[in-house]
């Protein structure tokens, strides 16, 4: 079952400046930040509402900012994969390798754009951010 659109992700050439803009200028709280093993940022989520986020990822310096994907919160990612596969969508198997502890799958649409399916168990950073929302 599909719950809702959860996030839109973008890659930006100036990660820290972009994160400052979204948190300080726009006033969206930082929901969570995930770093690579070397301490560099991998991604950040800023929270628009209880269950709506913008995901910011570092892109290539000097390259323009780009759309990366949008994410759909699903109750059961394995069932969603099977549903979309039965409808003829190009969809990857469910995986639990996300550093956010979400269970993920990806659809590639007819234009080559990515749609992420995310099951958000209580240990996921998304769920924890939604649970903290006041």
């Amino acid at each position: 079952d599909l719950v809702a659109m959860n996030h839109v992700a973008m890659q930006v050439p100036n990660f820290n400046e972009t994160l400052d803009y979204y948190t300080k200028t726009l006033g969206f709280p930082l929901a969570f930040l995930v770093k690579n093993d070397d301490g560099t940022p991998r991604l950040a989520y800023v929270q628009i509402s209880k269950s709506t986020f913008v995901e910011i990822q570092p892109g290539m310096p000097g390259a323009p900012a780009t759309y990366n994907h949008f994410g759909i919160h699903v109750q059961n990612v394995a069932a969603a994969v099977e549903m979309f596969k039965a409808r003829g969508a190009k969809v990857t198997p469910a995986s639990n390798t996300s550093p956010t502890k979400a269970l993920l799958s990806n659809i590639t649409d007819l234009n080559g754009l990515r749609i992420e399916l995310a099951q958000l168990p209580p240990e996921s950073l998304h769920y924890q951010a939604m649970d903290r929302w006041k």
Side-chain angles (χ1 to χ4, degrees):
D1 295 324
L2 306 179
V3 177
M5 186 161 150
N6 177 261
H7 66 276
V8 173
M10 60 185 162
Q11 289 181 310
V12 298
N14 52 352
F15 179 85
N16 290 327
E17 291 173 35
T18 301
L19 185 57
D20 282 349
Y21 178 81
Y22 276 80
T23 57
K24 294 177 182 168
T25 304
L26 298 181
F28 301 141
L30 177 64
F32 56 87
L33 173 67
V34 175
K35 294 185 178 181
N36 294 310
D37 290 339
D38 64 3
T40 59
R42 180 169 178 168
L43 60 89
Y45 268 55
V46 295
Q47 201 161 3
I48 309 304
S49 70
K50 180 175 181 162
S51 59
T52 309
F53 303 87
V54 173
E55 179 179 344
I56 303 166
Q57 303 172 353
M60 297 299 295
T66 61
Y67 161 87
N68 185 273
H69 68 275
F70 71 87
I72 299 172
H73 178 186
V74 298
Q75 288 293 333
N76 181 313
V77 71
V81 165
E82 291 309 312
M83 176 187 71
F84 284 117
K85 191 182 291 184
R87 293 178 180 175
K90 182 178 175 184
V91 60
T92 64
S95 170
N96 61 354
T97 58
S98 169
T100 65
K101 298 185 176 77
L103 305 174
L104 303 176
S105 174
N106 290 290
I107 297 171
T108 303
D109 80 4
L110 73 162
N111 296 299
L113 299 174
R114 183 162 70 98
I115 303 166
E116 183 178 82
L117 304 174
Q119 181 179 329
L120 308 176
E123 63 272 14
S124 73
L125 299 178
H126 311 71
Y127 182 97
Q128 292 173 19
M130 291 186 294
D131 197 47
R132 286 191 307 266
W133 186 263
K134 301 291 183 227

